[in-house]
Amino acid sequence: MTTGPVDDVPDQDFSLDDVRREGLLAAPGAPTVDHDGAGRVELAFTVEDAGGAPAAKRTVRVPPGVTVFDSASWNGIAIDSTCGGHGTCHKCKVRVEGSTPITRHDVRTFSRDQLDDGWRLACLVQATRDLAVDVPPLTTRPKAATVGVGRQVILRPAVQKRYVELAEPDLSDQRPDLGRLLGAIDDLELTAGLPVLRRLPSVLRGADFKVTAVIVDEELIDVEPGDTTEQRYAIAFDLGTTTVVATLLDVALGVPVAVASMLNKQQPFGGDVITRISATMLDPDTLPRLQQAATATLAELAQQVCSDGDVDPGQVYEVAVAGNATMVALALGIDPEPLGVAPFVMFTDQPPTILAADLGLGLHPQARAYFFPALGAYVGGDIVAGMLATGMDRDKRTRLFIDVGTNCEIVVSNGDRLVCTAAPAGPAFEGGAIRCGMRAADGAIEVIRLGETVELGVIGDVPPKGLCGSGLVDAVAELVRVGLLDGSGRFVPEEQAAEIAPDLADRLTRIGDERVFVLHRPQPDSAPEDCVVLSQRDVRELQFAKAAISTGWTLLLEELGVEHLDVQQVLMAGSFGSYISPASAVRIGLVPKLPVLRIVSAGNVAGEGAKMALLSVRERTGAAALLKEVTYVELSDRADFNDRFVDQLGF
C-alpha cells in the first residue's frame, strides 16, 4: 500500500479538530496561548483535605503545554478522575486563578458563575504560563463493604508458632543451633533461610534457650525470645480497582481484629483497568508509578489496621491478596499490556508467593504474601476468592453470582457445573460518565423514592452533592415505575409527564439541549445547572451497563440449559452489590425477574475469601482446584452477542 503526501488531502475533507484527542490536545474551539516550548512554567497547587486538616501547598515546574492534570499526576498530586485525564469523565475539577481558556466540556460541567470564578477541568487546561491551582479534597475513603457472606472453616493457618525449651549445649552435646531447634519440632520438616540463621545464635542465648519458632508453611522464618505463641497475625487484602479493603486477623483465634478501607491510589490514572493499561502503553514510565501507587495503598492500610488493632506490625507474618489480574500485575510491576489487547493473556494464572516486603509492606521482614489464582484476564483472583467464600462449588442449588463494578464478573452454577464470564459494564456504577455522578461518599444520593415528592437517602446525612451507583439504579428504576421513562429509556414528552405524574412533571426540564430530571434543588429557584440531576445521557450509560451484565448471565444460563426462573439464589457481590436495592435491580433488568427474597447482598466476598485463605491452608487448595472446575465463556467470541446485547437494552 502506498501513501500519498499530506498535500494530496483536500483541505475541506480534513481537520485536525476531527482527530485530536481530548485531554491530550485542547478541545475544539478552545483558544490557546502560544509559547516557544523552552524553559519551565510554575504551578502552585493548594490541595484541600477532606478531613479538615490544613491545605497542603506544593509548587512544581513542568514543560510548557503540559496539562494541569498531568502536571499533578507526575508529581504525586491526586486529582479526581475516572478516565485517566482523557477529557471524558468531567471529574477533574480544579479552580485556576487568572484568565484561562474555556472549553465546551467546561461549559457542560460548570455553571456560569463557576466558570467566572476559574473552575475548569484539569485535563483540558494547558500550563502555558505560571498558574495557581486549587484542588478540591479527594474522597480517599468512600463507603465500601468491608465484610461479606462467608463460610466456617477448620482453623489451620499457614502461620504457626511453637514454644520450645531447649537443653543448653555443652561439650557432650555440640549439636548445631538449628539442629537443636528443629529436633524439638520433629513433626515438621522445616527449612530455614539466611535471615533466621543470622538471628538464631544470639536469640537462643539471650533467652536462655527458651524461644518461640515462627513457621509459615514449612519454613522457619524467625525465632523469638520467650513464649509469643498467642501473638500471630495476618492481613487479608481485597485489592479492588476503586477501593482497597484490609482486615487484620488474629490467626491464633481465627477472628478479625481491625478493618479499614480506602480509595486505590491508582485512581488518578483512570477509573477502570482498561484506562490504566492504556496509560502504561502510552508512557512506559507510568508502570512504576502505578506500582508505587498500589503498594502505597496497601502499606497505608496495613499501618492503619495495625494501629487500630494495637498490634505490632512485626507480629504480622502473612498477607493474602485477592485482586483482578490487572491489579495484581500492576502491584507486582508486571507489564499489563497483554491483558488489554486480544487475545487477553495473563502473565500467570497462579502468581508466586513473595515476601510482603516486596510489596512495600512494613510488616515482619520475612512475612509472606499469598496471591489468589485467576481464571482469566477478566475473571481474576478476587472472583476466585468470592467463589470460595460463597461455596459456589459446594452448593447443589442453581445460583447466580454477580460482582458488579466497572468490569462485571458473572458465575453460574447448576450444582454440577460452573461457568463464568466477564462483561464490560463501564464506569457508570462508580459514578463515572454520569453528569452528577460521584463515589459513595458523604453527600452522595444512594436511595431514591418517587411519590408525590422525591425522597432521598444521602450518605452522611448532609446536603446532596451528587449521585452514586445505587442511587443511579434507584433513580432510573423509580422513573420507570412512575412512567416518566418509557421502555426504551427515553424521558416521556412534557405533556404526557404532566398527565402521568403531575407532582413530578416540573422536575423534568432541560440543560441546553439535553433533557434532565431534577433530583435535588439547593434552593427553590435554583437553575437546573446548579441542581443534582439525572440526564438522558446518564440513563443511556446505565442502559449499556445493565445490558452488558444481563446479556452475560443470560448466555451463561443458556450454556447450562437452565431458565432464569430456575435460579434459586442471586448473590450481588462487591461494594456496589451490597447497597443496591434488589427491587430496583429487578425492575431495570440488572438481575433476573425473581422474587426479591432470592436476591442476596453478598458484600465483600473477595475479602472474605482472603480471610479464609489465611485461616486455613485447605481453603487455598480449594481455590487452586476451582481453576479446573470452572469453565470460562468468552462473550466476544459469540456471534450473537451484539444482537443479544441490543435485546437487553430496554426496561
Side-chain angles (χ1 to χ4, degrees):
M1 182 180 73
T2 60
T3 303
V6 174
D7 292 342
D8 290 345
V9 182
D11 290 343
Q12 64 270 28
D13 294 334
F14 176 79
S15 168
L16 182 61
D17 286 344
D18 294 334
V19 298
R20 71 173 76 243
R21 185 176 185 181
E22 292 176 351
L24 301 181
L25 297 175
T32 58
V33 179
D34 293 332
H35 59 80
D36 60 7
R40 292 288 187 270
V41 296
E42 186 174 277
L43 300 181
F45 287 96
T46 300
V47 184
E48 303 294 334
D49 183 82
K57 296 184 181 295
R58 178 89 178 274
T59 299
V60 303
R61 295 179 66 82
V62 297
V66 174
T67 67
V68 168
F69 181 87
D70 286 341
S71 302
S73 296
W74 291 352
N75 290 279
I77 299 169
I79 296 178
D80 200 3
S81 172
T82 58
C83 71
H86 289 196
T88 58
C89 73
H90 296 195
K91 303 298 181 190
C92 56
K93 302 175 181 179
V94 296
R95 193 175 71 84
V96 181
E97 293 185 12
S99 176
T100 308
I102 298 174
T103 70
R104 59 189 176 88
H105 292 280
D106 293 321
V107 173
R108 182 179 171 223
T109 306
F110 302 107
S111 67
R112 183 70 254 177
D113 289 343
Q114 289 174 318
L115 291 171
D116 292 342
D117 196 32
W119 285 93
R120 302 288 187 271
L121 295 176
C123 66
L124 299 179
V125 177
Q126 291 184 329
T128 56
R129 58 186 177 83
D130 294 352
L131 294 173
V133 183
D134 292 337
V135 181
L138 178 68
T139 300
T140 57
R141 301 189 185 276
K143 184 176 180 180
T146 55
V147 296
V149 172
R151 295 184 289 106
Q152 297 292 325
V153 300
I154 297 173
L155 189 61
R156 189 185 171 191
V159 177
Q160 301 183 54
K161 280 191 172 184
R162 299 289 183 89
Y163 173 68
V164 293
E165 297 184 0
L166 305 177
E168 296 188 23
D170 55 33
L171 290 177
S172 63
D173 182 5
Q174 295 180 328
R175 287 177 297 165
D177 287 341
L178 182 61
R180 186 179 303 277
L181 177 61
L182 298 186
I185 313 174
D186 56 5
D187 60 322
L188 298 174
E189 295 183 4
L190 299 178
T191 60
L194 181 59
V196 72
L197 292 177
R198 286 173 173 161
R199 282 177 45 81
L200 184 59
S202 60
V203 172
L204 284 177
R205 286 157 182 82
D208 296 326
F209 288 84
K210 298 174 182 179
V211 296
T212 299
V214 184
I215 302 160
V216 178
D217 290 324
E218 297 295 318
E219 183 169 359
L220 177 69
I221 68 165
D222 202 359
V223 178
E224 298 173 344
D227 185 354
T228 63
T229 51
E230 294 185 0
Q231 289 85 47
R232 46 185 170 130
Y233 300 93
I235 299 177
F237 286 108
D238 171 19
L239 179 56
T241 308
T242 302
T243 308
V244 183
V245 180
T247 305
L248 177 65
L249 296 171
D250 182 335
V251 296
L253 300 176
V255 297
V257 178
V259 61
S261 66
M262 68 180 296
L263 191 70
N264 191 323
K265 290 180 182 290
Q266 295 176 340
Q267 197 66 27
F269 294 90
D272 57 79
V273 295
I274 294 299
T275 310
R276 296 181 198 175
I277 292 172
S278 299
T280 66
M281 295 168 65
L282 290 169
D283 180 4
D285 291 337
T286 300
L287 177 56
R289 292 203 293 268
L290 281 165
Q291 182 186 16
Q292 192 278 331
T295 56
T297 305
L298 296 174
E300 185 172 329
L301 283 172
Q303 182 182 36
Q304 181 179 345
V305 293
C306 287
S307 176
D308 292 347
D310 195 21
V311 168
D312 179 359
Q315 294 176 332
V316 178
Y317 305 103
E318 191 175 34
V319 303
V321 181
N324 64 53
T326 302
M327 289 301 99
V328 170
L330 293 175
L332 295 176
I334 297 173
D335 183 7
E337 180 177 349
L339 297 168
V341 296
F344 312 111
V345 177
M346 293 185 291
F347 62 95
T348 179
D349 58 354
Q350 299 192 59
T353 296
I354 63 173
L355 290 178
D358 292 336
L359 289 174
L361 302 181
L363 308 174
H364 188 280
Q366 297 302 307
R368 301 299 194 261
Y370 162 80
F371 289 86
F372 270 83
L375 287 161
Y378 292 99
V379 182
D382 52 344
I383 304 306
V384 173
M387 286 191 283
L388 186 72
T390 54
M392 288 293 290
D393 59 333
R394 298 167 178 249
D395 200 314
K396 292 302 179 183
R397 293 177 294 172
T398 298
R399 304 169 81 199
L400 170 61
F401 173 103
I402 305 176
D403 190 321
V404 184
T406 305
N407 185 64
C408 176
E409 296 88 1
I410 307 167
V411 184
V412 178
S413 169
N414 65 357
D416 295 317
R417 291 180 58 205
L418 279 163
V419 291
C420 71
T421 193
F429 296 124
E430 304 288 354
I434 304 301
R435 184 182 185 100
C436 294
M438 62 180 292
R439 298 186 185 92
D442 286 354
I445 299 172
E446 62 174 345
V447 177
I448 298 172
R449 294 293 177 264
L450 299 183
E452 294 182 358
T453 60
V454 177
E455 298 179 12
L456 303 177
V458 183
I459 299 175
D461 294 326
V462 297
K465 299 177 183 177
L467 192 65
C468 68
S470 60
L472 173 66
V473 172
D474 263 7
V476 172
E478 286 291 282
L479 286 167
V480 170
R481 181 182 64 81
V482 300
L484 294 181
L485 276 175
D486 62 24
S488 71
R490 186 182 298 275
F491 284 118
V492 300
E494 284 82 354
E495 319 81 63
Q496 187 177 347
E499 296 178 5
I500 295 173
D503 296 319
L504 303 173
D506 67 318
R507 292 176 176 266
L508 203 54
T509 181
R510 293 179 183 272
I511 297 179
D513 294 331
E514 186 175 27
R515 300 190 72 196
V516 300
F517 182 83
V518 177
L519 296 169
H520 170 72
R521 291 187 177 99
Q523 301 295 332
D525 58 347
S526 294
E529 293 86 349
D530 300 325
C531 299
V532 179
V533 301
L534 178 78
S535 72
Q536 183 67 72
R537 188 176 303 180
D538 297 339
V539 177
R540 294 295 181 228
E541 290 288 342
L542 180 63
Q543 280 185 280
F544 293 144
K546 81 95 181 178
I549 295 170
S550 57
T551 302
W553 55 253
T554 298
L555 293 175
L556 289 187
L557 291 174
E558 292 178 1
E559 185 80 16
L560 294 181
V562 297
E563 301 288 338
H564 79 272
L565 290 175
D566 297 326
V567 176
Q568 295 166 278
Q569 185 182 61
V570 178
L571 296 165
M572 298 289 289
S575 292
F576 176 75
S578 300
Y579 299 109
I580 185 176
S581 160
S584 294
V586 170
R587 184 169 288 119
I588 70 169
L590 185 64
V591 299
K593 294 191 181 302
L594 297 168
V596 293
L597 292 180
R598 295 192 198 178
I599 301 170
V600 177
S601 295
N604 183 16
V605 290
E608 293 297 326
K611 296 178 197 176
M612 292 166 61
L614 292 171
L615 297 178
S616 175
V617 292
R618 291 185 179 182
E619 298 300 334
R620 300 186 194 185
T621 303
L626 283 169
L627 298 190
K628 299 179 180 179
E629 297 176 17
V630 182
T631 301
Y632 179 75
V633 178
E634 179 58 63
L635 295 183
S636 60
D637 279 349
R638 299 279 303 233
D640 60 343
F641 177 78
N642 287 339
D643 291 339
R644 304 297 291 273
F645 175 85
V646 172
D647 291 342
Q648 296 290 339
L649 283 171
F651 295 123

